[in-house]
PDB file of all heavy atoms in Angstrom:
ATOM      1  N   ALA A 218     186.701  99.986  99.642  1.00 97.00           N
ATOM      2  CA  ALA A 218     186.045 100.398  98.409  1.00 97.00           C
ATOM      3  C   ALA A 218     185.010  99.339  98.038  1.00 97.00           C
ATOM      4  O   ALA A 218     184.992  98.251  98.612  1.00 97.00           O
ATOM      5  CB  ALA A 218     187.074 100.561  97.289  1.00 97.00           C
ATOM      6  N   LEU A 219     184.178  99.659  97.088  1.00 98.00           N
ATOM      7  CA  LEU A 219     183.177  98.715  96.585  1.00 98.00           C
ATOM      8  C   LEU A 219     183.419  98.534  95.087  1.00 98.00           C
ATOM      9  O   LEU A 219     183.542  99.537  94.366  1.00 98.00           O
ATOM     10  CB  LEU A 219     181.767  99.226  96.838  1.00 98.00           C
ATOM     11  CG  LEU A 219     180.679  98.245  96.393  1.00 98.00           C
ATOM     12  CD1 LEU A 219     179.865  97.812  97.598  1.00 98.00           C
ATOM     13  CD2 LEU A 219     179.782  98.855  95.352  1.00 98.00           C
ATOM     14  N   TYR A 220     183.504  97.284  94.647  1.00 98.00           N
ATOM     15  CA  TYR A 220     183.794  97.004  93.248  1.00 98.00           C
ATOM     16  C   TYR A 220     182.553  97.192  92.406  1.00 98.00           C
ATOM     17  O   TYR A 220     181.469  96.638  92.722  1.00 98.00           O
ATOM     18  CB  TYR A 220     184.332  95.584  93.087  1.00 98.00           C
ATOM     19  CG  TYR A 220     184.884  95.329  91.704  1.00 98.00           C
ATOM     20  CD1 TYR A 220     186.115  95.867  91.340  1.00 98.00           C
ATOM     21  CD2 TYR A 220     184.182  94.579  90.782  1.00 98.00           C
ATOM     22  CE1 TYR A 220     186.616  95.667  90.061  1.00 98.00           C
ATOM     23  CE2 TYR A 220     184.690  94.373  89.508  1.00 98.00           C
ATOM     24  CZ  TYR A 220     185.902  94.917  89.144  1.00 98.00           C
ATOM     25  OH  TYR A 220     186.420  94.729  87.894  1.00 98.00           O
ATOM     26  N   LEU A 221     182.680  97.994  91.333  1.00 98.00           N
ATOM     27  CA  LEU A 221     181.545  98.260  90.436  1.00 98.00           C
ATOM     28  C   LEU A 221     181.555  97.350  89.209  1.00 98.00           C
ATOM     29  O   LEU A 221     180.502  97.035  88.667  1.00 98.00           O
ATOM     30  CB  LEU A 221     181.557  99.712  89.975  1.00 98.00           C
ATOM     31  CG  LEU A 221     181.390 100.770  91.056  1.00 98.00           C
ATOM     32  CD1 LEU A 221     181.567 102.173  90.466  1.00 98.00           C
ATOM     33  CD2 LEU A 221     180.027 100.633  91.718  1.00 98.00           C
ATOM     34  N   GLY A 222     182.739  96.958  88.765  1.00 97.00           N
ATOM     35  CA  GLY A 222     182.883  96.160  87.544  1.00 97.00           C
ATOM     36  C   GLY A 222     183.833  96.847  86.582  1.00 97.00           C
ATOM     37  O   GLY A 222     184.153  98.018  86.704  1.00 97.00           O
ATOM     38  N   ASP A 223     184.343  96.085  85.618  1.00 97.00           N
ATOM     39  CA  ASP A 223     185.238  96.586  84.572  1.00 97.00           C
ATOM     40  C   ASP A 223     186.474  97.295  85.152  1.00 97.00           C
ATOM     41  O   ASP A 223     186.984  98.246  84.561  1.00 97.00           O
ATOM     42  CB  ASP A 223     184.494  97.538  83.617  1.00 97.00           C
ATOM     43  CG  ASP A 223     183.389  96.830  82.847  1.00 97.00           C
ATOM     44  OD1 ASP A 223     183.564  95.640  82.500  1.00 97.00           O
ATOM     45  OD2 ASP A 223     182.339  97.473  82.618  1.00 97.00           O
ATOM     46  N   GLY A 224     186.924  96.858  86.313  1.00 97.00           N
ATOM     47  CA  GLY A 224     188.125  97.412  86.931  1.00 97.00           C
ATOM     48  C   GLY A 224     187.875  98.650  87.787  1.00 97.00           C
ATOM     49  O   GLY A 224     188.801  99.195  88.376  1.00 97.00           O
ATOM     50  N   TYR A 225     186.630  99.087  87.899  1.00 98.00           N
ATOM     51  CA  TYR A 225     186.309 100.304  88.655  1.00 98.00           C
ATOM     52  C   TYR A 225     185.761 100.011  90.039  1.00 98.00           C
ATOM     53  O   TYR A 225     185.048  99.023  90.240  1.00 98.00           O
ATOM     54  CB  TYR A 225     185.308 101.168  87.876  1.00 98.00           C
ATOM     55  CG  TYR A 225     185.933 101.913  86.741  1.00 98.00           C
ATOM     56  CD1 TYR A 225     185.978 101.314  85.467  1.00 98.00           C
ATOM     57  CD2 TYR A 225     186.512 103.164  86.924  1.00 98.00           C
ATOM     58  CE1 TYR A 225     186.558 101.993  84.398  1.00 98.00           C
ATOM     59  CE2 TYR A 225     187.109 103.822  85.861  1.00 98.00           C
ATOM     60  CZ  TYR A 225     187.128 103.244  84.604  1.00 98.00           C
ATOM     61  OH  TYR A 225     187.719 103.910  83.558  1.00 98.00           O
ATOM     62  N   ILE A 226     186.086 100.916  90.944  1.00 98.00           N
ATOM     63  CA  ILE A 226     185.565 100.870  92.318  1.00 98.00           C
ATOM     64  C   ILE A 226     184.939 102.205  92.619  1.00 98.00           C
ATOM     65  O   ILE A 226     185.169 103.205  91.933  1.00 98.00           O
ATOM     66  CB  ILE A 226     186.652 100.531  93.360  1.00 98.00           C
ATOM     67  CG1 ILE A 226     187.882 101.471  93.260  1.00 98.00           C
ATOM     68  CG2 ILE A 226     187.138  99.098  93.194  1.00 98.00           C
ATOM     69  CD1 ILE A 226     187.846 102.611  94.213  1.00 98.00           C
ATOM     70  N   ILE A 227     184.166 102.243  93.706  1.00 97.00           N
ATOM     71  CA  ILE A 227     183.677 103.503  94.270  1.00 97.00           C
ATOM     72  C   ILE A 227     184.241 103.555  95.675  1.00 97.00           C
ATOM     73  O   ILE A 227     184.318 102.535  96.374  1.00 97.00           O
ATOM     74  CB  ILE A 227     182.136 103.574  94.241  1.00 97.00           C
ATOM     75  CG1 ILE A 227     181.661 104.964  94.665  1.00 97.00           C
ATOM     76  CG2 ILE A 227     181.521 102.494  95.106  1.00 97.00           C
ATOM     77  CD1 ILE A 227     180.161 105.181  94.437  1.00 97.00           C
ATOM     78  N   ASN A 228     184.686 104.747  96.064  1.00 96.00           N
ATOM     79  CA  ASN A 228     185.279 104.898  97.397  1.00 96.00           C
ATOM     80  C   ASN A 228     185.204 106.346  97.840  1.00 96.00           C
ATOM     81  O   ASN A 228     184.856 107.237  97.054  1.00 96.00           O
ATOM     82  CB  ASN A 228     186.698 104.367  97.431  1.00 96.00           C
ATOM     83  CG  ASN A 228     187.715 105.187  96.690  1.00 96.00           C
ATOM     84  OD1 ASN A 228     188.808 105.438  97.171  1.00 96.00           O
ATOM     85  ND2 ASN A 228     187.427 105.625  95.460  1.00 96.00           N
ATOM     86  N   LEU A 229     185.515 106.571  99.099  1.00 94.00           N
ATOM     87  CA  LEU A 229     185.558 107.926  99.644  1.00 94.00           C
ATOM     88  C   LEU A 229     186.985 108.428  99.525  1.00 94.00           C
ATOM     89  O   LEU A 229     187.935 107.726  99.870  1.00 94.00           O
ATOM     90  CB  LEU A 229     185.121 107.939 101.105  1.00 94.00           C
ATOM     91  CG  LEU A 229     183.683 107.555 101.396  1.00 94.00           C
ATOM     92  CD1 LEU A 229     183.401 107.607 102.898  1.00 94.00           C
ATOM     93  CD2 LEU A 229     182.705 108.418 100.629  1.00 94.00           C
ATOM     94  N   THR A 230     187.123 109.676  99.067  1.00 92.00           N
ATOM     95  CA  THR A 230     188.425 110.298  98.943  1.00 92.00           C
ATOM     96  C   THR A 230     188.353 111.694  99.546  1.00 92.00           C
ATOM     97  O   THR A 230     187.268 112.244  99.703  1.00 92.00           O
ATOM     98  CB  THR A 230     188.854 110.422  97.450  1.00 92.00           C
ATOM     99  OG1 THR A 230     187.981 111.319  96.789  1.00 92.00           O
ATOM    100  CG2 THR A 230     188.835 109.060  96.771  1.00 92.00           C
ATOM    101  N   PRO A 231     189.506 112.272  99.870  1.00 88.00           N
ATOM    102  CA  PRO A 231     189.490 113.641 100.402  1.00 88.00           C
ATOM    103  C   PRO A 231     188.883 114.606  99.383  1.00 88.00           C
ATOM    104  O   PRO A 231     188.905 114.361  98.183  1.00 88.00           O
ATOM    105  CB  PRO A 231     190.967 113.964 100.623  1.00 88.00           C
ATOM    106  CG  PRO A 231     191.621 112.623 100.736  1.00 88.00           C
ATOM    107  CD  PRO A 231     190.847 111.709  99.847  1.00 88.00           C
ATOM    108  N   VAL A 232     188.346 115.705  99.876  1.00 86.00           N
ATOM    109  CA  VAL A 232     187.736 116.708  99.013  1.00 86.00           C
ATOM    110  C   VAL A 232     188.767 117.285  98.052  1.00 86.00           C
ATOM    111  O   VAL A 232     188.461 117.561  96.905  1.00 86.00           O
ATOM    112  CB  VAL A 232     187.055 117.815  99.868  1.00 86.00           C
ATOM    113  CG1 VAL A 232     186.536 118.936  98.998  1.00 86.00           C
ATOM    114  CG2 VAL A 232     185.932 117.199 100.702  1.00 86.00           C
ATOM    115  N   ASP A 233     190.020 117.449  98.511  1.00 77.00           N
ATOM    116  CA  ASP A 233     191.112 117.932  97.654  1.00 77.00           C
ATOM    117  C   ASP A 233     191.327 116.921  96.545  1.00 77.00           C
ATOM    118  O   ASP A 233     191.578 115.735  96.800  1.00 77.00           O
ATOM    119  CB  ASP A 233     192.388 118.086  98.497  1.00 77.00           C
ATOM    120  CG  ASP A 233     193.592 118.515  97.707  1.00 77.00           C
ATOM    121  OD1 ASP A 233     193.492 118.714  96.478  1.00 77.00           O
ATOM    122  OD2 ASP A 233     194.653 118.660  98.314  1.00 77.00           O
ATOM    123  N   GLU A 234     191.247 117.360  95.311  1.00 63.00           N
ATOM    124  CA  GLU A 234     191.312 116.421  94.175  1.00 63.00           C
ATOM    125  C   GLU A 234     192.719 116.102  93.712  1.00 63.00           C
ATOM    126  O   GLU A 234     192.867 115.402  92.718  1.00 63.00           O
ATOM    127  CB  GLU A 234     190.498 116.987  92.999  1.00 63.00           C
ATOM    128  CG  GLU A 234     189.023 117.000  93.269  1.00 63.00           C
ATOM    129  CD  GLU A 234     188.210 117.322  92.031  1.00 63.00           C
ATOM    130  OE1 GLU A 234     188.567 116.841  90.949  1.00 63.00           O
ATOM    131  OE2 GLU A 234     187.245 118.060  92.160  1.00 63.00           O
ATOM    132  N   SER A 235     193.747 116.568  94.374  1.00 59.00           N
ATOM    133  CA  SER A 235     195.110 116.261  93.915  1.00 59.00           C
ATOM    134  C   SER A 235     195.349 114.764  93.963  1.00 59.00           C
ATOM    135  O   SER A 235     194.755 114.056  94.753  1.00 59.00           O
ATOM    136  CB  SER A 235     196.140 116.997  94.782  1.00 59.00           C
ATOM    137  OG  SER A 235     196.217 116.417  96.049  1.00 59.00           O
ATOM    138  N   GLN A 236     196.229 114.285  93.116  1.00 47.00           N
ATOM    139  CA  GLN A 236     196.497 112.849  93.031  1.00 47.00           C
ATOM    140  C   GLN A 236     196.987 112.313  94.371  1.00 47.00           C
ATOM    141  O   GLN A 236     196.611 111.241  94.797  1.00 47.00           O
ATOM    142  CB  GLN A 236     197.522 112.555  91.934  1.00 47.00           C
ATOM    143  CG  GLN A 236     197.786 111.082  91.722  1.00 47.00           C
ATOM    144  CD  GLN A 236     196.537 110.316  91.289  1.00 47.00           C
ATOM    145  OE1 GLN A 236     195.641 110.846  90.657  1.00 47.00           O
ATOM    146  NE2 GLN A 236     196.470 109.051  91.632  1.00 47.00           N
ATOM    147  N   ALA A 237     197.847 113.077  95.060  1.00 46.00           N
ATOM    148  CA  ALA A 237     198.356 112.615  96.353  1.00 46.00           C
ATOM    149  C   ALA A 237     197.220 112.458  97.342  1.00 46.00           C
ATOM    150  O   ALA A 237     197.156 111.500  98.103  1.00 46.00           O
ATOM    151  CB  ALA A 237     199.405 113.580  96.887  1.00 46.00           C
TER     152      ALA A 237
END
Side-chain angles (χ1 to χ4, degrees):
L219 183 118
Y220 191 75
L221 297 175
D223 297 325
Y225 284 91
I226 53 96
I227 188 171
N228 70 135
L229 296 180
T230 66
V232 174
D233 177 0
E234 291 190 40
S235 72
Q236 185 61 29

